[in-house]
């Protein structure tokens, strides 16, 4: 009976359920996470003043910095197939949150993990933690707290980052004439999903883009003071550029033939490829704008941040988005974006 | 087929899915939350520099302050019966996180909501938001971001608070001879649950303690500089005092006859009442310690923070917890605490 359990299993932070318990399993679970994810403690950029083990974490923020905070949830069977390897789930759960910090020009500092598990499975947990650690170590970010509960598998990560006062990259600050730039190759994650659905393929660049997306933290940081607006394209290039355009009270045109192509996309019909690149989503590249007279800075920024950058369009006074071919003709994409509750709309 | 959805419904912050979508339902959902919960914007203590609507929130922290961060998850059917009114779920989801800030001596600043819903039900959402708003308004705390996803009903709230540098109330700083003090009446929430299970009673003080717990933010703030350690007793008085004792490398004794009693508890057998008060849990009162020569300050602190305070024991050099009667005899409680994964222990 669920009711008999009601309110008796209550929320608890990572500091709960320690030696006073006769049953140590939740404590073990937390310790395993902490030991794996924070193993490379020396590489943490901003160690928490008080981390896991009290009611809340205590963090210091310098006076000339602003704090960035973002929260994302991944639900089993919704955001990833239930058979997904735990390490991939761990990696991606953190990647989607760090990508939001990157899109704001932030440096990643800490993250908080709310993990809901059907049961405390040590093997699953160790693999999950190893995937988290693979990304947290390269990003220098610390697991500073969280909560573990029993229930259907779901992961919510809240990531905190820092940005120098006034330097956050926003959405609503693009100007007419600004160039639209995208990092990497949009559409790779959608291709990885299509290949998996078609022939269970889990190989190659597109599968990596889907399961191990690299948050573009170095790029976001390099864009401070140069980009006039920035967003990550997790909802799809068109939808997310649409967010920049609308927030800036502008429009935009996308030059389809300029979209960067990967070798693995060569077998696709061109219209299919464009649709995948415009609307596929689940990419964690950045889309940003910059004044046209600063285009020359892109080469250095790409070199510094280790990712390719491609000019793919321009911000326009005219509202709305237009996908254009070189001959001036238009292309109407199959699907513009995504909604989590498609059946309940008005 | 779940697989066909895999990776296609992807995490998105509150800034996603706006005008570019033909289907506006997720946007509506977010706007409804934001409008209800942040309606009393003038009363927000620390308005976000950038709130809902971008990849991450941007917050300013003063130089002489430290940031407190805590995350808690409530899962339907685990932490609350599935038939619980949405407004109660909203209220309690925020209360458990704010209680952690209170236990650290913090002032509540902002919260981030990760809401997983089976479907976008506007009526449910409006009630949920009204419950959230009831507490966020009295606490002066701002909903500064979040995520909405589809899946089994689950609420994760990450709350951020502020504390003057070096003044956070910790667990590991109690000293031998310090008095143990508890706020309010521990055991009320467990009594509320027992009454509900027995006769579906949803009336009175105990039901309110269970469904609308008041985070003791004013008390936590008033205890800065006075309390030598502090914790909230969401896991039960005994388990949580155990956390203080262990973290402080001390022990503690509890004087059972000193436990504050409520009128609604008068029908209980004394041993049943003690068990309820020691181990019931789901109370969001504070348990703290202070040097014995500062006991005189308790009256003013209680008056200032609007909650009763009762000395119920003492920190001891001897490790472990002892429940004592006035005649010196001991009492062995039925259940010490709680574990979310009781079947997987070693």
């Amino acid at each position: 009976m669920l009711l008999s359990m009601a309110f008796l299993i209550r929320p608890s932070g990572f500091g709960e359920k320690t030696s006073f318990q006769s049953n140590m399993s939740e404590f073990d679970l937390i310790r395993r996470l902490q030991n794996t994810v924070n193993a490379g403690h020396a590489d943490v950029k901003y160690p928490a003043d008080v981390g896991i083990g009290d009611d809340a974490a205590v963090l210091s923020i310098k006076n000339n910095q602003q704090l960035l905070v973002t929260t994302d949830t991944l639900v089993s069977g919704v955001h990833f197939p239930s058979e997904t390897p735990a390490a991939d789930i761990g990696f991606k759960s953190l990647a989607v949150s760090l990508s939001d910090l990157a899109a704001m020009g932030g440096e990643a500092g800490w993250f908080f993990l709310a993990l809901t598990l059907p049961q405390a499975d040590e093997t699953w947990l160790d693999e999950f933690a190893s995937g988290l650690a693979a990304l947290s170590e390269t990003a220098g970010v610390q697991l500073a707290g969280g909560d573990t509960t029993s229930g259907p598998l779901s992961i919510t990560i809240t990531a905190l980052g820092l940005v120098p006062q006034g330097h956050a990259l926003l959405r609503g600050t693009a100007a007419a004439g600004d160039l639209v730039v995208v990092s990497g190759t949009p559409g790779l994650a959608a291709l990885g999903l299509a290949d998996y659905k078609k022939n269970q393929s889990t190989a190659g660049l597109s599968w990596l883009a889907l399961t191990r997306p690299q948050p573009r933290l170095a790029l976001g940081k390099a864009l401070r003071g140069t980009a006039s607006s920035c967003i990550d394209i997790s909802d799809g290039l068109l939808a997310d550029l649409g967010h920049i355009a609308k927030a800036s009270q502008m429009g935009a045109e996308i030059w389809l033939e300029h979209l960067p192509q990967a070798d693995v996309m060569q077998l696709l019909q061109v219209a299919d490829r464009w649709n995948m690149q415009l609307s596929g989503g689940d990419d964690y590249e950045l889309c940003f704008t910059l004044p046209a007279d600063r285009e020359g800075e892109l080469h250095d920024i790409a070199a510094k941040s280790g990712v390719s950058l491609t000019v793919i369009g321009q911000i326009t006074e005219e509202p709305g988005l237009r996908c254009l071919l070189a001959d001036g003709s238009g292309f109407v994409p199959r699907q513009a974006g995504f909604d989590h509750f498609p059946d309940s709309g008005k």
Side-chain angles (χ1 to χ4, degrees), chain A residues 55-290:
Chain A
D55 293 278
V58 184
L59 311 173
S60 288
I61 314 291
K62 289 195 190 131
N63 198 28
N64 58 347
Q65 291 179 321
Q66 285 170 299
L67 186 73
L68 304 173
V69 188
T70 179
T71 293
D72 285 291
T73 298
L74 276 76
V75 179
S76 179
V78 178
H79 301 91
F80 53 84
S82 54
E83 73 270 21
T84 303
D88 287 343
I89 299 171
F91 190 100
K92 189 157 176 172
S93 297
L94 182 56
V96 300
S97 287
L98 296 188
S99 178
D100 284 327
L101 298 182
M104 301 291 283
E107 186 156 34
W110 311 272
F111 71 102
F112 296 80
L113 169 67
L115 178 61
T116 302
L117 285 174
Q119 66 276 325
D121 175 338
E122 292 183 359
T123 305
W124 189 95
L125 193 82
D126 286 350
E127 288 172 10
F128 175 81
S130 77
L132 265 184
L135 182 55
S136 69
E137 282 171 21
T138 56
V141 63
Q142 184 183 15
L143 173 63
D147 189 20
T148 57
T149 55
S150 57
L153 180 59
S154 168
I155 304 102
T156 296
I157 285 185
T158 303
L160 277 64
L162 297 167
V163 69
Q165 185 80 35
H167 282 72
L169 304 175
L170 305 177
R171 297 179 178 185
T173 40
D178 284 357
L179 298 175
V180 175
V181 185
V182 71
S183 68
T185 309
L188 273 178
L191 179 63
L193 178 63
D195 286 348
Y196 180 72
K197 286 164 68 176
K198 201 161 130 193
N199 52 28
Q200 304 290 300
S201 165
T202 58
L205 202 63
S206 59
W207 181 250
L208 275 179
L210 180 66
T211 58
R212 299 269 171 156
Q214 292 293 334
R216 300 300 184 192
L217 287 159
L219 174 59
K221 198 172 165 184
L223 290 174
R224 291 177 194 160
T226 299
S228 55
S229 73
C230 188
I231 197 167
D232 81 355
I233 57 168
S234 54
D235 285 340
L237 179 57
L238 214 51
D240 285 311
L241 179 57
H243 294 141
I244 284 184
K246 183 178 154 65
S248 303
Q249 297 179 284
M250 293 283 157
E253 54 187 47
I254 295 180
W255 308 327
L256 291 179
E257 282 113 332
H258 290 237
L259 284 173
Q261 192 180 169
D263 288 348
V264 289
M265 291 176 172
Q266 281 175 346
L267 294 177
L268 295 172
Q269 299 284 339
V270 68
D272 289 343
R273 174 166 69 82
W274 287 341
N275 277 314
M276 206 169 251
Q277 298 200 274
L278 292 170
S279 314
D282 221 16
D283 287 312
Y284 295 87
E285 299 295 345
L286 300 185
C287 177
F288 61 94
T289 60
L290 84 171

